[in-house]
Amino acid sequence: MNRRIRAFRRGVAATTALLLAVVPGTACSGKEQEVPPPSPQAVQPEAEPSPAPPPELPLGGREIFPRYRVVAYYGSIGGGTLGVLGEQPPEQMIPRLRAAAAPFATPDRPVQIAFELIVRIADRKPGRNGIYSHSIKPDVIRRYVEAAEKAKALVILDVQPGRLSFLDAIKPYRWALEHPNVGIALDPEWRVAWNQVPGKVIGRVSAAEVNAASAYVSELTRAEQLPEKLFLLHQFRQAMLPDVEKILPRPGLAMVQHVDGFGTRREKDATYAAVRRPDQFKLGYKLFYDEDVDVYQPAEVLTFPNPPDYISYQ
């Protein structure tokens, strides 16, 4: 009887050992457990990082007009000789500019403040290269750009080229134009021929030269995915832009005809009526603290026929 029990127990043990040998994952399986690979549905691909959104204007958005009305202080370094902007460092100028700009705001149109900084200044002497103009230092320009960025302001680089073409005059400032808040202004008064001297004649520029410059800035804006840039053309006589009707619009540029005449109200009204082209450009208007007689007040400017989108103080 005992022999039968012992034999039965030995059979059970052998059977159990055999079963354990073929069951994966048991201590007696004879090899480590094999984990099956995950199914394709279980593999989650790594998400690609989202592209950075394109840069915007200082106060938001990518188009300047008609969302904002721009109010600028005009000038350059060296005191107030060339305009009010040079009377104080850029950081100190901001509160004064905000105060001057505030009355131009309307419920449906906030004001965007701006520095219109003369970066190339026309000269009465030929200079080392015989071009009758010189550039201010890049470090100075950078200071204005950085101060404007902190204040959520625009910067317009104003160019008085002398005997240079406008395209050649603006190319050295490409590094600054790559900033989302920086635009350009061309001043034909100071674009003279190779036998002329700035200040002795009132300059002029062809539409072809303007179009070459605007194409360059437009392409830069496209290539860098920048928001709309201001592209100003100063004018107070028709002869300064003799074939103005041939100036082309450009994608990515807010093209502004900036009327600069100074004097009495009657004289300024006559200039504005004679040269403005509201069907071709956005309009700009300059107010002179010293040269204007009975300076127009902001509320009056906003009642003009074709009220300007861009106002500057000199």
Side-chain angles (χ1 to χ4, degrees), residues 64-65 68 70 109 116 156 184-186 188 210 228-235 241 244 247-250 253-260 272 277 280-286 308-312:
I64 300 170
F65 304 125
Y68 303 109
V70 179
R109 198 167 187 188
E116 188 173 345
I156 303 96
I184 200 82
L186 311 184
V210 173
E228 188 173 56
K229 287 188 177 296
L230 282 168
F231 189 93
L232 271 61
L233 291 165
H234 288 278
Q235 186 180 17
L241 295 167
V244 63
I247 294 175
L248 301 173
R250 296 291 187 194
L253 303 186
M255 308 280 288
V256 176
Q257 181 192 31
H258 192 40
V259 182
D260 291 354
Y272 196 54
R277 299 178 66 86
Q280 186 177 1
F281 303 102
K282 296 295 183 181
L283 296 180
Y285 193 81
K286 184 177 283 189
D309 295 281
Y310 181 97
I311 300 100
S312 68

Side-chain angles (χ1 to χ4, degrees), residues 5 22 42 45 52 84 101 109 140 179 212 229 258 269 289 291 299 303:
I5 292 173
V22 298
V84 63
R109 198 167 187 188
V140 175
H179 288 256
K229 287 188 177 296
H258 192 40
D269 291 349
Y289 282 122
E291 289 83 358
T303 65

Side-chain angles (χ1 to χ4, degrees), residues 58-310:
L59 297 180
R62 290 184 46 90
E63 292 186 358
I64 300 170
F65 304 125
R67 184 168 183 172
Y68 303 109
R69 178 169 278 109
V70 179
V71 179
Y73 269 174
Y74 171 95
S76 195
I77 58 173
T81 305
L82 297 175
V84 63
L85 184 59
E87 292 180 356
Q88 292 176 285
E91 300 83 0
Q92 297 177 26
M93 186 58 69
I94 291 294
R96 184 176 170 186
L97 173 56
R98 288 197 194 281
F104 288 97
T106 58
D108 62 335
R109 198 167 187 188
V111 163
Q112 169 66 73
I113 61 170
F115 294 146
E116 188 173 345
L117 177 66
I118 309 171
V119 293
R120 177 163 284 277
I121 303 171
D123 298 320
R124 289 179 178 267
K125 296 182 179 180
R128 186 172 54 187
N129 298 319
I131 56 177
Y132 287 84
S133 67
H134 71 278
S135 178
I136 67 175
K137 294 180 179 179
D139 286 348
V140 175
I141 301 171
R142 189 171 290 109
R143 181 178 179 182
Y144 277 86
V145 172
E146 291 175 354
E149 288 175 339
K150 291 178 182 178
K152 295 188 175 182
L154 298 176
V155 178
I156 303 96
L157 308 179
D158 191 278
V159 177
Q160 301 176 355
R163 292 181 177 180
L164 281 175
S165 74
F166 275 115
L167 179 58
D168 289 338
I170 66 177
K171 281 184 175 180
Y173 306 111
R174 182 184 179 96
W175 65 270
L177 288 167
E178 289 176 352
H179 288 256
N181 66 325
V182 178
I184 200 82
L186 311 184
D187 198 340
E189 178 184 1
W190 306 104
R191 169 66 172 104
V192 297
W194 283 98
N195 60 347
Q196 296 175 329
V197 175
K200 292 187 177 182
V201 297
I202 294 175
R204 57 191 290 168
V205 66
S206 68
E209 185 170 319
V210 173
N211 289 338
S214 64
Y216 177 81
V217 181
S218 175
E219 173 55 24
L220 183 156
T221 303
R222 184 204 63 79
E224 301 297 330
Q225 295 186 308
L226 297 170
E228 188 173 56
K229 287 188 177 296
L230 282 168
F231 189 93
L232 271 61
L233 291 165
H234 288 278
Q235 186 180 17
F236 57 86
R237 290 187 180 180
Q238 292 177 335
M240 292 167 63
L241 295 167
D243 53 351
V244 63
E245 72 281 354
K246 295 181 182 179
I247 294 175
L248 301 173
R250 296 291 187 194
L253 303 186
M255 308 280 288
V256 176
Q257 181 192 31
H258 192 40
V259 182
D260 291 354
F262 62 83
T264 65
R265 290 189 172 198
R266 183 176 180 179
E267 290 170 330
K268 290 178 73 74
D269 291 349
T271 300
Y272 196 54
V275 303
R276 70 174 185 252
R277 299 178 66 86
D279 294 336
Q280 186 177 1
F281 303 102
K282 296 295 183 181
L283 296 180
Y285 193 81
K286 184 177 283 189
L287 297 166
F288 292 79
Y289 282 122
D290 297 328
E291 289 83 358
D292 281 352
V293 178
D294 190 14
V295 180
Y296 273 118
Q297 298 304 304
E300 295 174 306
V301 173
L302 296 179
T303 65
F304 283 5
N306 308 114
D309 295 281
Y310 181 97

